[in-house]
Amino acid sequence: MHAHVPFPQALEHLDFMAAKNVHPELFFSGDTLDGTLPEEIKSVATALANSGLSCTIHAPFMDLNPGSEEVLIREATGRRFRQVCAAALILKPKSMVFHPGYDRWRYGEKQSSWLGHAVATFREVLERTEPVGCTIAIENIFEEEPATLLALIESCNHPRLRHCFDVGHWNLFHAPGVGLEEWFAALGVHIGEVHIHDNSGTRDDHAPVGEGEIDFKLYFKLLEQYAPAAVWTIEAHSRGCLERAIEKLGKFIPA
């Protein structure tokens, strides 16, 4: 079990994570990447190892787009991705999560162009993380159905490029007729990580399981069927929510 932790707060929450046997998914913002020295990343890596904790990484995403039509946006995205890949060489995460940057309102008629740029961007990410061998997991954000994510994964055709299924985002943005069963049928075998949080379908609450409307009984049944080895990551944005999430997830953890 992993949980969202901004990188600057990693050491602050280390004792709690070790006590709960929860491993961090370290989020790097652009500002964090610019303001953090390699020695500081090495210090966190050492502290995690000494506490018996592994990690995953969530790459920066704000205003970035790996498949952008605008070359300057792609250059900024590439710079941030190269920075977080350098951090990964030190931290040696099990998985790294990236946002795809696609939405049909901007790229409806230019899907192939977005796809070509995104493939090139993620092939560089895969090359730079080869020494670590970690999973590169592409998270659903505004996707209403799985076709574009499937196209990206199949076009890259790399065993380390996988899908991060965020069930909270699915609940907010999925199209009518694209239920959990349809999503898993299309992308389930490609899932390498999942982000677990709940909402009521109107905003991205990041609530603990059972505090929204998502059918988690069906969700975990499908997860066991399609991706039993996926990394589980709780995306809670406060200590209180994380504690409730850990407690509520207990009944779903395989024996």
Side-chain angles (χ1 to χ4, degrees):
M1 187 75 69
H2 289 69
H4 166 85
V5 180
F7 178 81
Q9 300 175 24
L11 296 180
E12 174 188 345
H13 296 295
L14 188 63
D15 290 344
F16 171 81
M17 290 185 291
K20 295 289 187 180
N21 194 29
V22 173
H23 306 256
E25 175 146 290
L26 299 170
F27 168 62
F28 285 87
S29 68
D31 286 344
T32 297
L33 288 168
D34 285 341
T36 303
L37 296 172
E39 291 76 15
E40 295 175 279
I41 299 174
K42 290 176 184 176
S43 177
V44 170
T46 299
L48 291 173
N50 290 341
S51 297
L53 297 173
S54 63
C55 74
T56 56
I57 286 176
H58 196 305
F61 59 86
M62 187 60 69
D63 295 326
L64 303 179
N65 189 340
S68 176
E69 286 279 289
E70 170 56 64
V71 64
L72 295 179
I73 299 299
R74 292 202 310 277
E75 288 176 356
T77 302
R79 176 184 173 185
R80 292 305 189 202
F81 284 10
R82 287 188 288 274
Q83 286 177 300
V84 80
C85 288
L89 295 180
I90 299 170
L91 289 162
K92 296 180 171 50
K94 295 165 61 176
S95 176
M96 296 179 71
V97 176
F98 292 82
H99 287 192
Y102 179 86
D103 72 77
R104 71 179 180 90
W105 297 107
R106 284 185 295 172
Y107 292 99
E109 295 183 358
K110 294 188 175 182
Q111 180 178 331
S112 61
S113 177
W114 170 87
L115 180 61
H117 294 314
V119 167
T121 299
F122 283 110
R123 282 180 175 162
E124 181 181 355
V125 168
L126 288 160
E127 181 179 352
R128 288 178 177 272
T129 55
E130 186 64 32
V132 181
C134 59
T135 295
I136 303 301
I138 313 301
E139 180 180 356
N140 58 300
I141 307 299
F142 304 119
E143 282 76 12
E144 298 174 8
E145 45 81 31
T148 53
L149 293 176
L150 183 61
L152 175 57
I153 292 169
E154 290 183 339
S155 296
C156 282
N157 190 28
H158 194 289
R160 289 196 294 113
L161 190 70
R162 310 280 285 164
H163 173 39
C164 174
F165 181 43
D166 188 304
V167 68
H169 295 162
W170 164 84
N171 194 49
L172 290 171
F173 300 113
H174 72 87
V178 185
L180 284 171
E181 291 172 310
E182 287 76 18
W183 195 281
F184 272 92
L187 282 172
V189 296
H190 297 291
I191 291 175
E193 181 173 341
V194 291
H195 282 172
I196 303 171
H197 54 103
D198 206 350
N199 63 64
S200 297
T202 57
R203 53 174 290 174
D204 200 11
D205 297 309
H206 286 267
V209 168
E211 296 187 13
E213 64 174 27
I214 296 172
D215 183 352
F216 278 101
K217 183 177 180 180
L218 174 60
Y219 170 77
F220 284 109
K221 177 183 176 182
L222 292 168
L223 188 58
E224 176 63 24
Q225 176 184 346
Y226 285 95
V231 172
W232 290 20
T233 299
I234 301 170
E235 280 212 320
H237 288 173
S238 72
R239 175 76 68 87
C241 281
L242 177 57
E243 291 177 332
R244 296 203 310 276
I246 293 170
E247 179 182 356
K248 291 172 181 291
L249 277 172
K251 64 181 180 179
F252 295 107
I253 296 175

